[in-house]
Amino acid sequence: MIIQKKYYFYAAHRNKEAGIKCGRLHGHTYDIIVHIKPEVLTNGIGILFSDIDRMIEPIIKEYDHYLILNQKDTLCEILELAGEPFIKLPFDTSAENMAIWLFTRIKNETKLPIIKIELAETKSSNVIYEIKS
Ligand SMILES: [Zn+2]
């Protein structure tokens, strides 16, 4: 039995390591599907959808309507001087890295039995990160 929950957030970023197009500041609607494998069903229920939301939504919403940058990006210093809020991460903000980051945060912070995450930056491009159970 696999439970899927869908989330999304809007954010801007740039990835200087991914070519000219992705190196420009731009935004995405990040669509996320979290796959959870409950160990047991109790009265036909694995984990209540609402309990999953209560744990995962706060993590996802931390990134909503923010600019997300690699902490090494030269823009960080300028934005800090300007007092602009943004999020620094310790990696280039590729879809692959974002998927691993969110997977790890959700797994560690919620202790939910997450086995896979799908993250889409666009309607036609997504990545899947999973661990074999
Ligand atoms: Zn992008």
Side-chain angles (χ1 to χ4, degrees):
M1 179 71 68
I2 306 294
I3 297 172
Q4 290 186 355
K5 285 294 299 178
K6 298 178 181 179
Y7 303 96
Y8 66 92
F9 65 95
Y10 306 109
H13 82 135
R14 72 177 183 179
N15 185 358
K16 301 298 274 184
E17 298 299 318
I20 294 170
K21 187 176 170 184
C22 296
R24 294 193 298 257
L25 283 175
H26 63 280
H28 294 291
T29 299
Y30 287 89
D31 284 307
I32 296 160
I33 304 175
V34 176
H35 298 244
I36 293 166
K37 186 174 186 179
E39 291 179 12
V40 295
L41 299 184
T42 304
N43 296 326
I45 297 171
I47 303 167
L48 286 175
F49 294 148
S50 58
D51 285 343
I52 296 169
D53 289 343
R54 181 176 45 77
M55 290 187 268
I56 293 180
E57 281 178 345
I59 295 171
I60 300 295
K61 292 305 173 191
E62 280 183 32
Y63 303 93
D64 192 39
H65 283 79
Y66 271 94
L67 170 58
I68 304 169
L69 295 172
N70 183 331
Q71 63 190 9
K72 293 178 181 173
D73 193 305
T74 53
L75 275 180
C76 293
E77 187 178 339
I78 294 165
L79 291 167
E80 284 168 351
L81 281 172
E84 284 293 326
F86 68 103
I87 293 174
K88 286 190 287 191
L89 294 176
F91 50 78
D92 288 310
T93 56
S94 65
E96 294 89 334
N97 284 341
M98 289 298 293
I100 294 169
W101 177 256
L102 290 170
F103 180 99
T104 304
R105 280 203 64 193
I106 291 168
K107 184 169 185 61
N108 291 343
E109 295 174 31
T110 70
K111 308 301 183 198
L112 286 167
I114 175 175
I115 59 167
K116 177 162 61 172
I117 192 167
E118 298 178 49
L119 181 142
E121 283 188 344
T122 70
K123 290 181 179 178
S124 61
S125 305
N126 71 305
V127 297
I128 299 171
Y129 179 70
E130 65 183 316
I131 55 169
K132 296 296 179 192
S133 53

